[in-house]
């Protein structure tokens, strides 16, 4: 029994390990190892060059280099996703524009293809231009019905270009050749002078739309020179 005024006996706990040098330190959960410079690490550093380490430590509250590298790799991953999405958008929307520019697409939409029957079909070609014959008053009868877009130039008498009247060309047979001979395959030029016939027959120019040929439309007697289709059949027949 403890006596009043005296401190009773208590249990005192002493240190169990007196020599601390024999203690074993706790193993850290994250090992601080320097990562090798793989292509992925190099790319992540390049894509985040605008964010140096000291800014990430102060402003981003990422003092640990491992945290900074993890953040850089996230930004690199996002950049790859953006690049892939951009490539998909380009292949879907802009690739046709690359292979078929607006100038070509606009030109193709403003030509009349030979044999195109999608419209009324009352279209003929004169000197490469499309003319509507929907309201035509034919002054001369033809023994056939022209197909849509057919070149009717050989049926007209076309004036000789001034460039062919030069004295330097007077000895060339082609420059002085008369394509309106009766044996030209068209029975001469039954529709008469081209400019007068266009007016008299009420042919309407279709906004200067050219006649477009496919390679399957290039028959014997036709020549393609620098994108232009030339009908030399009357010249070859005579």
């Amino acid at each position: 029994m403890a006596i009043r005024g005296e401190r009773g006996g208590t249990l005192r706990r002493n240190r169990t390990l007196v020599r601390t040098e024999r203690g074993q330190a706790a193993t850290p959960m994250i090992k601080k190892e320097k990562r090798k410079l793989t292509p992925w690490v190099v790319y992540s550093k390049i894509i985040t060059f605008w964010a140096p380490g000291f800014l990430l430590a102060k402003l981003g509250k990422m003092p640990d280099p491992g945290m900074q590298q993890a953040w850089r790799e996230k930004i690199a991953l996002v950049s790859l996703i953006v690049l892939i999405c951009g490539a998909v958008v380009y292949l879907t929307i802009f690739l046709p524009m690359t292979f078929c520019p607006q100038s070509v697409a606009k030109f193709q939409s403003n030509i009349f293809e030979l044999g195109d029957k999608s419209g009324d079909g009352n279209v003929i070609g004169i000197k490469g231009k499309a003319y509507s014959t929907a309201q035509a008053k034919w002054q001369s009868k033809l023994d056939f019905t022209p197909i849509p877009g057919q070149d009717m130039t050989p049926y007209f008498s076309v004036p000789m270009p001034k460039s062919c009247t030069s004295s330097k060309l007077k000895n060339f047979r082609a420059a002085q050749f008369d394509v309106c001979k009766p044996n030209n395959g068209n029975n001469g030029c039954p529709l008469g002078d081209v400019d007068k016939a266009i007016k008299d027959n009420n042919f309407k120019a279709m906004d200067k739309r050219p006649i477009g040929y496919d390679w399957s439309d290039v028959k014997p007697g036709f020549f393609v020179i620098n994108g232009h289709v030339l009908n030399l059949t009357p010249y070859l027949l005579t």
Side-chain angles (χ1 to χ4, degrees), residues 107 110-114 122-133 147-154 156 158 194-195 198 203-213 227-230:
F107 180 77
N110 286 289
I111 66 173
F112 186 89
E113 295 185 10
L114 180 66
N122 297 315
V123 178
I124 61 173
I126 302 176
K127 295 193 293 186
K129 305 297 182 181
Y131 287 81
S132 174
T133 60
I147 64 173
Q150 180 176 348
D151 178 35
M152 299 293 292
T153 308
F156 296 93
V158 181
V194 60
D195 296 325
I198 291 175
F203 298 151
K204 301 296 183 182
M206 301 178 65
D207 298 328
K208 298 183 179 180
R209 290 176 61 183
I211 300 294
Y213 281 75
H228 298 278
V229 181
L230 305 179

